[in-house]
Amino acid sequence: MRIQRLLALGVALCLPAVAAAQEATLRLVSAFPENVFYVKRTTDWIAKVNRDGKGALQINFIGGPKAIPTFEVGNAVKTGVVDIAMTTGAYYTNVMPEADNLKLAEVSAAEQRQNGAYDLINRIWAEKGNMRYLARVVEFTPFHLYLNRKIDKPDLTGLKIRITPVYRDFFQALGAQVMTTAPGEVYTALERGVIDGYGWPIHLLFDLNWQEKTKYRVDPGFYNAEVSLIMNLDKYKALPAKAREFLDREALAFERDNEFWKSYNQNEAKRQAEAGIQVITFDAATNRAFIEKANEVGWAAAIKASPQYGPQMKKLLAR
Ligand code: 173
């Protein structure tokens, strides 16, 4: 009797330890600076995951580029130094060139889950990046060229423009001299006059105070800004089924909120006008040719960098 009671007590004492051991904790970093709104949206999402995931899954936000520099985040996920990253494909082309092709998508993330694109992305990300692609959390957002010198045609000859891989081939095709930097270095480059302009989405200038140093935005915008959650594949596979299914569901819910960006971006364009940023635009035919050239140059570079997967991605992502 005494032994039975002791055993029961022992089991009871051990139970919380077993439950705690089954609760997976994942480390998440941001490739974007911490004051950028993407990070607040991500930490709000993490708070919800942690509230609903008690006993199954918890996520710890580690930080931004001060923890891991922007262009090293992809390799940190690949090798398992961190578990999850909120980043964009242009920041991890050093892992695989295909990462940057997500900006060329003309079909929505919801459609990509239906038409096989999402499966293809996951095949490539697993094979080349040891990654699981969890969700796209930014879409419906064009990139723009911002300038401090006026142009009257889409010719960037003689101008030095800050880029990431997103804009490289397009801006070079327009004659620009280019310089790659992480977002964290753009303000100083503008302040020092080291660059005449930069590529960036329609939103989040104000988060980084770039409106203080920006005179013009060129319309139309081009491409489809992509920010996603990517995860180390070994960590993903090692999650208990319950935790993995919960994570998939929560990531999908985050992605399904992307309509949010449509109204947010309208308001950001309004704020830019109010801050005195002037719009440079061309005649209708030139504007059409500008966008066409962006797409043409973008896919040509994608296919050159990945003859294996570039054409397959184009088939599923372009219209
Ligand atoms: O300009 C950039 O740093 C960049 O490539 C990017 C991509 C997606 C969202 C925001 C910025």
Side-chain angles (χ1 to χ4, degrees), residues 32 38 88 90-91 143 162 164 166-167 183 199-201 226-227:
F32 291 91
Y38 297 155
T88 181
Y91 297 164
F143 291 106
R162 172 272 174 184
T164 67
V166 164
Y167 326 93
W200 189 253
E226 167 270 334
V227 175

mmCIF file of all heavy atoms in Angstrom, residues 32 38 88 90-91 143 162 164 166-167 183 199-201 226-227, ligand 1:
data_model
loop_
_atom_site.group_PDB
_atom_site.id
_atom_site.type_symbol
_atom_site.label_atom_id
_atom_site.label_comp_id
_atom_site.label_asym_id
_atom_site.label_seq_id
_atom_site.Cartn_x
_atom_site.Cartn_y
_atom_site.Cartn_z
ATOM 1 N N PHE A 32 14.646 42.142 -40.733
ATOM 2 C CA PHE A 32 14.363 43.582 -40.815
ATOM 3 C C PHE A 32 14.640 44.230 -39.457
ATOM 4 O O PHE A 32 14.450 43.580 -38.419
ATOM 5 C CB PHE A 32 12.895 43.799 -41.201
ATOM 6 C CG PHE A 32 12.571 43.379 -42.612
ATOM 7 C CD1 PHE A 32 12.138 42.090 -42.878
ATOM 8 C CD2 PHE A 32 12.713 44.271 -43.667
ATOM 9 C CE1 PHE A 32 11.844 41.693 -44.185
ATOM 10 C CE2 PHE A 32 12.425 43.883 -44.974
ATOM 11 C CZ PHE A 32 11.993 42.594 -45.233
ATOM 12 N N TYR A 38 6.820 45.451 -39.856
ATOM 13 C CA TYR A 38 6.754 43.993 -40.035
ATOM 14 C C TYR A 38 7.025 43.273 -38.711
ATOM 15 O O TYR A 38 6.478 42.202 -38.449
ATOM 16 C CB TYR A 38 7.814 43.499 -41.026
ATOM 17 C CG TYR A 38 7.726 43.976 -42.446
ATOM 18 C CD1 TYR A 38 8.878 44.013 -43.241
ATOM 19 C CD2 TYR A 38 6.523 44.361 -43.022
ATOM 20 C CE1 TYR A 38 8.839 44.414 -44.566
ATOM 21 C CE2 TYR A 38 6.473 44.771 -44.351
ATOM 22 C CZ TYR A 38 7.628 44.807 -45.119
ATOM 23 O OH TYR A 38 7.600 45.204 -46.436
ATOM 24 N N THR A 88 12.876 38.177 -46.301
ATOM 25 C CA THR A 88 12.452 38.172 -47.704
ATOM 26 C C THR A 88 13.502 37.450 -48.539
ATOM 27 O O THR A 88 14.682 37.410 -48.166
ATOM 28 C CB THR A 88 12.241 39.615 -48.208
ATOM 29 O OG1 THR A 88 11.803 39.563 -49.571
ATOM 30 C CG2 THR A 88 13.520 40.450 -48.150
ATOM 31 N N ALA A 90 15.148 38.094 -51.150
ATOM 32 C CA ALA A 90 16.320 38.855 -51.596
ATOM 33 C C ALA A 90 17.442 38.814 -50.561
ATOM 34 O O ALA A 90 18.603 39.023 -50.913
ATOM 35 C CB ALA A 90 15.932 40.303 -51.869
ATOM 36 N N TYR A 91 17.097 38.559 -49.312
ATOM 37 C CA TYR A 91 18.117 38.548 -48.260
ATOM 38 C C TYR A 91 18.804 37.191 -48.123
ATOM 39 O O TYR A 91 19.788 37.069 -47.402
ATOM 40 C CB TYR A 91 17.512 38.952 -46.910
ATOM 41 C CG TYR A 91 16.942 40.366 -46.832
ATOM 42 C CD1 TYR A 91 16.084 40.728 -45.790
ATOM 43 C CD2 TYR A 91 17.262 41.341 -47.778
ATOM 44 C CE1 TYR A 91 15.562 42.018 -45.699
ATOM 45 C CE2 TYR A 91 16.736 42.619 -47.695
ATOM 46 C CZ TYR A 91 15.883 42.953 -46.661
ATOM 47 O OH TYR A 91 15.356 44.219 -46.564
ATOM 48 N N PHE A 143 6.942 47.407 -55.206
ATOM 49 C CA PHE A 143 8.196 48.129 -54.936
ATOM 50 C C PHE A 143 8.206 49.413 -55.756
ATOM 51 O O PHE A 143 7.547 49.503 -56.799
ATOM 52 C CB PHE A 143 9.408 47.288 -55.369
ATOM 53 C CG PHE A 143 9.650 46.071 -54.534
ATOM 54 C CD1 PHE A 143 9.347 44.807 -55.031
ATOM 55 C CD2 PHE A 143 10.210 46.177 -53.266
ATOM 56 C CE1 PHE A 143 9.589 43.662 -54.261
ATOM 57 C CE2 PHE A 143 10.474 45.042 -52.512
ATOM 58 C CZ PHE A 143 10.146 43.790 -53.007
ATOM 59 N N ARG A 162 20.777 52.517 -54.266
ATOM 60 C CA ARG A 162 20.866 51.411 -53.294
ATOM 61 C C ARG A 162 19.884 50.320 -53.708
ATOM 62 O O ARG A 162 18.723 50.586 -54.012
ATOM 63 C CB ARG A 162 20.516 51.929 -51.889
ATOM 64 C CG ARG A 162 20.388 50.852 -50.816
ATOM 65 C CD ARG A 162 18.967 50.279 -50.730
ATOM 66 N NE ARG A 162 18.911 49.156 -49.785
ATOM 67 C CZ ARG A 162 17.839 48.416 -49.558
ATOM 68 N NH1 ARG A 162 16.727 48.655 -50.192
ATOM 69 N NH2 ARG A 162 17.896 47.426 -48.700
ATOM 70 N N THR A 164 18.864 45.804 -53.318
ATOM 71 C CA THR A 164 19.077 44.428 -52.856
ATOM 72 C C THR A 164 18.935 43.603 -54.142
ATOM 73 O O THR A 164 18.639 44.183 -55.198
ATOM 74 C CB THR A 164 17.995 43.991 -51.842
ATOM 75 O OG1 THR A 164 16.735 43.917 -52.534
ATOM 76 C CG2 THR A 164 17.898 44.961 -50.671
ATOM 77 N N VAL A 166 16.493 42.188 -55.226
ATOM 78 C CA VAL A 166 15.173 42.479 -55.818
ATOM 79 C C VAL A 166 15.295 43.344 -57.059
ATOM 80 O O VAL A 166 14.674 43.083 -58.083
ATOM 81 C CB VAL A 166 14.255 43.205 -54.789
ATOM 82 C CG1 VAL A 166 13.048 43.848 -55.491
ATOM 83 C CG2 VAL A 166 13.779 42.255 -53.706
ATOM 84 N N TYR A 167 16.090 44.428 -56.949
ATOM 85 C CA TYR A 167 16.086 45.483 -57.959
ATOM 86 C C TYR A 167 17.292 45.423 -58.889
ATOM 87 O O TYR A 167 17.358 46.195 -59.843
ATOM 88 C CB TYR A 167 16.097 46.864 -57.272
ATOM 89 C CG TYR A 167 15.336 46.920 -55.966
ATOM 90 C CD1 TYR A 167 15.967 46.715 -54.734
ATOM 91 C CD2 TYR A 167 13.963 47.172 -55.973
ATOM 92 C CE1 TYR A 167 15.265 46.760 -53.544
ATOM 93 C CE2 TYR A 167 13.253 47.225 -54.780
ATOM 94 C CZ TYR A 167 13.909 47.011 -53.564
ATOM 95 O OH TYR A 167 13.212 47.050 -52.387
ATOM 96 N N PRO A 183 18.642 47.266 -45.049
ATOM 97 C CA PRO A 183 17.836 48.460 -44.746
ATOM 98 C C PRO A 183 18.503 49.374 -43.708
ATOM 99 O O PRO A 183 18.419 50.599 -43.818
ATOM 100 C CB PRO A 183 16.530 47.881 -44.186
ATOM 101 C CG PRO A 183 16.453 46.507 -44.727
ATOM 102 C CD PRO A 183 17.855 46.024 -44.900
ATOM 103 N N GLY A 199 15.690 51.418 -53.937
ATOM 104 C CA GLY A 199 14.499 50.612 -54.123
ATOM 105 C C GLY A 199 13.934 50.228 -52.774
ATOM 106 O O GLY A 199 14.696 49.943 -51.836
ATOM 107 N N TRP A 200 12.577 50.212 -52.689
ATOM 108 C CA TRP A 200 11.900 49.874 -51.425
ATOM 109 C C TRP A 200 10.402 49.744 -51.715
ATOM 110 O O TRP A 200 9.939 50.333 -52.695
ATOM 111 C CB TRP A 200 12.172 50.979 -50.381
ATOM 112 C CG TRP A 200 11.718 50.648 -48.981
ATOM 113 C CD1 TRP A 200 10.626 51.191 -48.337
ATOM 114 C CD2 TRP A 200 12.300 49.728 -48.045
ATOM 115 N NE1 TRP A 200 10.510 50.658 -47.070
ATOM 116 C CE2 TRP A 200 11.521 49.747 -46.871
ATOM 117 C CE3 TRP A 200 13.401 48.871 -48.100
ATOM 118 C CZ2 TRP A 200 11.801 48.954 -45.754
ATOM 119 C CZ3 TRP A 200 13.680 48.071 -46.993
ATOM 120 C CH2 TRP A 200 12.891 48.120 -45.831
ATOM 121 N N PRO A 201 9.656 49.019 -50.898
ATOM 122 C CA PRO A 201 8.203 48.947 -51.128
ATOM 123 C C PRO A 201 7.515 50.310 -50.949
ATOM 124 O O PRO A 201 8.143 51.277 -50.523
ATOM 125 C CB PRO A 201 7.719 47.963 -50.053
ATOM 126 C CG PRO A 201 8.925 47.176 -49.672
ATOM 127 C CD PRO A 201 10.078 48.127 -49.807
ATOM 128 N N GLU A 226 7.589 40.663 -51.113
ATOM 129 C CA GLU A 226 7.356 39.393 -50.408
ATOM 130 C C GLU A 226 8.130 39.377 -49.102
ATOM 131 O O GLU A 226 9.322 39.673 -49.078
ATOM 132 C CB GLU A 226 7.814 38.243 -51.304
ATOM 133 C CG GLU A 226 7.945 36.894 -50.633
ATOM 134 C CD GLU A 226 9.337 36.622 -50.051
ATOM 135 O OE1 GLU A 226 10.319 37.193 -50.548
ATOM 136 O OE2 GLU A 226 9.427 35.844 -49.078
ATOM 137 N N VAL A 227 7.431 39.079 -48.025
ATOM 138 C CA VAL A 227 8.072 38.796 -46.736
ATOM 139 C C VAL A 227 7.427 37.518 -46.237
ATOM 140 O O VAL A 227 6.213 37.343 -46.378
ATOM 141 C CB VAL A 227 7.865 39.956 -45.732
ATOM 142 C CG1 VAL A 227 8.435 39.607 -44.369
ATOM 143 C CG2 VAL A 227 8.489 41.243 -46.269
HETATM 144 O O1 173 B 1 14.687 46.758 -50.325
HETATM 145 C C1 173 B 1 14.827 45.776 -49.598
HETATM 146 O O2 173 B 1 15.550 45.767 -48.591
HETATM 147 C C2 173 B 1 14.105 44.552 -49.952
HETATM 148 O O3 173 B 1 14.623 43.766 -50.700
HETATM 149 C C3 173 B 1 12.743 44.319 -49.397
HETATM 150 C C4 173 B 1 12.028 43.193 -49.783
HETATM 151 C C5 173 B 1 10.754 42.978 -49.262
HETATM 152 C C6 173 B 1 10.199 43.882 -48.373
HETATM 153 C C7 173 B 1 10.924 45.003 -47.996
HETATM 154 C C8 173 B 1 12.185 45.227 -48.510
#
